[in-house]
Amino acid sequence: KTETIFNVVLSAIANKKKVLICSNNNHPLNDIYEKLTTSFMWHNPRTGVDEPVLFPALRVYNNNETPKTLAVLRKVLSYAESVKNSNVNLETTDRSKERSLEKNAKLREILKEYEEKQERIEDLERLEKIRELSTTDKVKASIDEQIALKKQKIAETKNFSNEEVASYATSAKEDKNFMDYLHYSFLWSYKRLLNQTYKPLRDIIKASENPENTPDCVKDFNEYIRSDENLRRLLEFFPIIVCTNNSSDKLGSPTPHFDLVIMDEAGQCNMASSLIPITRGDDLLLVGDTNQLQPVTVLDDQLNEKFRGEFGIKKEYDYVDNSILSCMTAKDKNSKSLLLRYHYRC
């Protein structure tokens, strides 16, 4: 699941989307955050040395852990000040991305043809079973025509070898063009922190250098990101935010600020706390196991039954017996449901 989320985030970065990654507890979030922030190295052509890419993902914690967030912001501010005189050509940066995506376009084309062939093969198998069960010659003749057409379509579809597919499937970290795109686009974004509009945030970051200021800085930072306008500014250079469902309450008002909300371990997320991040995004991706135990709740069964009866709550929305994943699986008939065995790993 972490690999899936990782690749969704990379796609979002390439498409300039803002993403909130959340879950009910910290463990899955720590794994995702570590993978995002430690996976990429950029080869500096001037020095000939590989340098870590400062990936624009920010971990937002509860009050006790917020000093970790401030430490990351100090690092980014220091980096921005060190590269403030660097020239970044956005047109060249976008061309690097386009060159990288050209290979992916061919891979998508191959996968699409493969999926279409598999669908035709499955259709053929169904037709052959129906043919066996048919009892009239007229029906058999009609099915035979369809079978012949399916076989012709399958024969016309090109077969791709594993080697040919692998030649187009380049890992992001091994793709120089994509690494150049990440490095220079992030560099351009981080330099925005030096603009006058970010002075209030810079003041908080600089004040946090003194440990004695920590309580005030934590309070000031939380107040800063509760403002919709300030959150919008923060997302300009940190488009990926990682936090628990409850901590997402700090992120502006409960209106969409993100293009996508990704909820990990959704089978362990209760419906009430899940609504906090869900209200902050346009689209939602739930990642989880439908066979997991439901979230642990402390609501008394008798009290729960009383509330269900009083407010006419249906079984699918029962807070005690459902996660956000089981609720959406039961009630949402429009969204796609995809098992990981069908996922093409990058």
Side-chain angles (χ1 to χ4, degrees):
K1 292 192 277 82
T2 301
E3 285 292 333
T4 302
I5 294 171
F6 180 66
N7 285 302
V8 170
V9 171
L10 286 185
S11 176
I13 286 288
N15 288 283
K16 295 180 170 58
K17 303 291 186 182
K18 296 175 176 62
V19 181
L20 171 61
I21 306 171
C22 56
S23 188
N24 216 42
N25 58 72
N26 285 298
H27 179 69
L29 298 178
N30 291 339
D31 290 344
I32 295 166
Y33 183 68
E34 181 179 4
K35 190 169 183 65
L36 288 172
T37 53
T38 62
S39 291
F40 298 120
M41 301 292 289
W42 175 71
H43 183 76
N44 189 327
R46 184 173 56 82
T47 63
V49 176
D50 288 344
E51 303 173 357
V53 172
L54 260 171
F55 200 87
L58 187 66
R59 188 80 162 84
V60 173
Y61 301 92
N62 60 29
N63 290 351
N64 292 335
E65 301 293 324
T66 297
K68 294 181 181 178
T69 304
L70 293 172
V72 171
L73 289 170
R74 288 197 299 272
K75 182 179 179 180
V76 170
L77 178 58
S78 175
Y79 176 72
E81 289 173 337
S82 70
V83 298
K84 63 182 177 181
N85 295 322
S86 301
N87 291 321
V88 182
N89 188 321
L90 287 182
E91 187 177 334
T92 303
T93 302
D94 285 338
R95 277 203 300 269
S96 294
K97 182 181 76 171
E98 290 168 7
R99 285 194 293 268
S100 172
L101 295 181
E102 283 174 5
K103 256 191 171 183
N104 291 336
K106 181 61 179 177
L107 180 60
R108 287 196 299 273
E109 181 184 320
I110 291 173
L111 293 176
K112 183 179 179 182
E113 288 189 44
Y114 173 80
E115 288 172 345
E116 289 175 351
K117 183 172 184 177
Q118 291 304 115
E119 288 176 4
R120 288 167 183 162
I121 290 172
E122 290 173 6
D123 289 344
L124 177 61
E125 291 172 351
R126 282 193 289 269
L127 286 170
E128 289 175 338
K129 287 179 181 178
I130 295 171
R131 171 74 166 74
E132 292 174 6
L133 298 172
S134 300
T135 57
T136 63
D137 291 339
K138 186 176 181 180
V139 172
K140 287 181 179 179
S142 175
I143 294 174
D144 284 340
E145 289 180 9
Q146 295 180 54
I147 287 174
L149 185 61
K150 287 291 179 186
K151 286 182 176 179
Q152 181 182 344
K153 290 285 187 181
I154 292 169
E156 291 172 354
T157 308
K158 181 180 177 182
N159 289 316
F160 295 97
S161 66
N162 289 338
E163 292 75 18
E164 188 173 357
V165 174
S167 70
Y168 293 104
T170 306
S171 168
K173 64 179 66 175
E174 295 171 356
D175 185 340
K176 181 184 180 303
N177 286 316
F178 192 69
M179 286 299 98
D180 284 346
Y181 167 71
L182 289 184
H183 172 76
Y184 288 112
S185 62
F186 297 165
L187 182 139
W188 182 80
S189 295
Y190 289 143
K191 287 174 68 175
R192 287 183 175 185
L193 188 52
L194 304 178
N195 293 346
Q196 183 61 28
T197 52
Y198 290 97
K199 186 179 183 302
L201 180 58
R202 288 201 306 274
D203 289 342
I204 297 171
I205 296 171
K206 290 183 177 180
S208 72
E209 294 173 0
N210 185 344
E212 293 181 0
N213 297 331
T214 296
D216 288 337
C217 290
V218 168
K219 178 175 175 291
D220 291 343
F221 177 72
N222 287 335
E223 288 181 359
Y224 182 88
I225 61 176
R226 286 187 191 279
S227 158
D228 288 355
E229 183 60 25
N230 290 339
L231 179 62
R232 183 192 65 77
R233 291 188 179 119
L234 182 69
L235 293 176
E236 289 298 323
F237 58 93
F238 269 118
I240 311 298
I241 301 292
V242 183
C243 69
T244 62
N245 294 341
N246 287 331
S247 290
S248 64
D249 184 50
K250 299 178 178 183
L251 303 175
S253 61
T255 55
H257 305 288
F258 298 87
D259 299 293
L260 174 66
V261 173
I262 303 175
M263 190 173 296
D264 195 14
E265 300 288 359
Q268 290 287 297
C269 296
N270 67 67
M271 290 184 287
S273 63
S274 297
L275 292 176
I276 302 171
I278 286 174
T279 58
R280 286 164 166 78
D282 289 323
D283 291 324
L284 173 66
L285 170 61
L286 297 177
V287 183
D289 187 347
T290 53
N291 295 317
Q292 270 186 326
L293 293 174
Q294 298 300 322
V296 176
T297 60
V298 294
L299 183 62
D300 180 76
D301 286 342
Q302 289 184 338
L303 190 59
N304 182 52
E305 287 302 316
K306 176 188 175 184
F307 287 150
R308 281 190 60 191
E310 184 176 344
F311 296 103
I313 298 172
K314 295 181 179 179
K315 182 180 179 181
E316 294 89 348
Y317 297 107
D318 188 331
Y319 174 75
V320 172
D321 292 335
N322 286 288
S323 66
I324 188 65
L325 181 61
S326 63
C327 175
M328 293 289 282
T329 302
K331 299 301 293 183
D332 182 2
K333 303 304 180 185
N334 298 313
S335 301
K336 291 182 180 179
S337 179
L338 186 67
L339 297 179
L340 285 187
R341 67 169 173 266
Y342 297 123
H343 175 67
Y344 299 102
R345 297 191 182 279
C346 297

